[in-house]
Amino acid sequence: MTEDSDHRFSSLTWDQIKILDQVLAEVIPIHGRGNFPTLDVKPKDIIHVVKEQLIEKQINVRDIRLNGSTASHILVKQNGTSYKDLDIIFGVELPSELEFQVVKEAVLNCLLDFLPKCVNKEKITAQTMKDAYVQKMVKVSTDHDRWSLISLSNNSGKNVELKFVNSLRRQFEFSVDSFQIILDSILNVYTATDCKLTEDFHPTVIAESMYGDFNEAMDHLKYKLISTRNPEEIRGGGLLKYSNLLVRDFKPADEAEIKSLERYMCSRFFIDFPDVAEQQRKIESYLRNHFIGEEKSKYDYLMTLRGVVNESTVCLMGHERRQTLNMITILALKVLGEQNIIPNAANVTCYYQPAPYISDRNFSSYYIAHGQPPIIYQPYPFHIQMQSGMV
């Protein structure tokens, strides 16, 4: 570790190691589809069997890390930081497509070890285990990024996400989710002894901030501040995560800078998702994955997202921007409808497509009372414009 890189790293305190130990020993149910039984999995156990399987298959494992919101929760639990997915990174060598396939088969075969003893495993294939327990699989193989992801299903949203990384240029969105805890030292203790960790007997565990300055990132996490750099490098621009932080009472570390960065976030989001239907699918997927059990927060999130898009989008034509705002508004009203909440009508203006017969020249025009504003026609089948402050 060079002096230049020292500022990226810090040792965990005993209190932080205790929380890490609890997270790794927690039983997480992996829910099966159909008649497949639920697998009760401890993170430290699945990490161990996957690592052993990879080594047996001649896959070099550099290190194993706990990433993202789980790492943030361990480092600063007192500010209410919670986590959904358990994001585990295996640093591996993936020089060819063969290694990608070996990694996938190794993980699926490992899941067999967690099936109840009464299950006959002889005729269960890797493909069967994939269909039963894997929520999603991702593979990225480019000149700069080579990694794969296998996400194991959990109905409450706490998916176990196993990521196998050869190279990944951008490993964080914001400073508060940039932490990675290097697990090798504590995993070695688990393997070597059954003794419980104590203040007098525990390994040194190192954490790294991929943002760069560990202490600065920790201050952002403690005081719920938002900071990032070059959001145009992030797929989707970090726009959805940024809106999520705002709705959870995080504040920009630099108000002037964040307004400039918002424009880059919006631009990259619309580059990656240019079609309104794609945008809607992405937003709905984000809501499903990040607001499980938080139904009442969805509306606030959507209106926060709408506000950012409305204020900071500079890359779209006027009608494209209106289409996106309209789509987010409809999603927000749908959320309210699902919760049987009726918004304050004083803050809602509805525009309807005129009926076909209005185009008939013989049909008399609307009567407009003196002093009333003219009727506004929007060229969409249904458009709702919502003012800020709507309930």
Side-chain angles (χ1 to χ4, degrees), residues 173-177 224-229 231 234-266 269 286 290-291 300-302 304-312:
E173 289 186 274
F174 295 87
S175 59
V176 294
D177 63 12
K224 303 183 77 168
L225 299 175
I226 303 172
S227 182
T228 189
R229 59 172 65 95
I234 307 168
R235 177 164 172 78
L239 175 63
L240 302 186
K241 177 62 180 280
Y242 173 65
S243 300
N244 197 352
L245 291 174
L246 288 175
V247 87
R248 297 180 191 281
D249 296 324
F250 282 73
K251 306 297 182 185
D254 186 323
E255 288 279 0
E257 180 187 38
I258 206 69
K259 287 302 177 185
S260 173
L261 295 179
E262 281 182 4
R263 291 194 286 272
Y264 287 104
M265 294 179 205
C266 291
F269 181 81
Y286 193 90
H290 294 85
F291 288 86
D300 291 336
Y301 172 77
L302 288 165
T304 300
L305 173 62
R306 187 186 188 282
V308 175
V309 171
N310 187 42
E311 294 174 12
S312 299

Side-chain angles (χ1 to χ4, degrees), residues 193-239:
T193 178
D194 292 330
C195 295
K196 292 185 64 175
L197 301 181
T198 67
E199 190 167 3
D200 296 323
F201 174 72
H202 68 268
T204 299
V205 180
I206 303 296
E208 179 180 4
S209 169
M210 310 311 290
Y211 175 76
D213 189 314
F214 189 94
N215 290 331
E216 181 182 356
M218 276 294 286
D219 283 342
H220 293 164
L221 184 59
K222 288 177 183 176
Y223 301 111
K224 303 183 77 168
L225 299 175
I226 303 172
S227 182
T228 189
R229 59 172 65 95
N230 304 325
E232 66 276 9
E233 295 176 354
I234 307 168
R235 177 164 172 78
L239 175 63

Side-chain angles (χ1 to χ4, degrees), residues 322-355:
R322 286 192 296 271
Q323 283 181 324
T324 297
L325 292 173
N326 188 51
M327 175 269 294
I328 298 172
T329 299
I330 297 296
L331 288 180
L333 288 179
K334 180 181 176 183
V335 165
L336 291 182
E338 290 170 350
Q339 298 172 24
N340 293 320
I341 298 173
I342 301 175
N344 182 354
N347 290 324
V348 181
T349 304
C350 296
Y351 300 94
Y352 295 92
Q353 180 87 11

Side-chain angles (χ1 to χ4, degrees), residues 90-147:
F90 292 78
V92 294
E93 303 296 329
L94 301 170
S96 70
E97 294 302 306
L98 175 62
E99 283 73 23
F100 279 100
Q101 185 64 27
V102 168
V103 165
K104 183 178 78 169
E105 291 178 357
V107 173
L108 296 176
N109 288 332
C110 286
L111 293 180
L112 289 169
D113 294 342
F114 295 95
L115 284 169
K117 293 181 180 179
C118 59
V119 174
N120 184 356
K121 306 174 186 178
E122 292 182 4
K123 295 183 179 180
I124 300 179
T125 65
Q127 181 62 41
T128 301
M129 295 301 288
K130 173 182 177 294
D131 294 339
Y133 294 105
V134 174
Q135 185 191 53
K136 66 178 177 181
M137 299 183 73
V138 178
K139 183 178 78 171
V140 175
S141 180
T142 66
D143 291 340
H144 301 287
D145 296 327
R146 292 185 64 81
W147 57 272

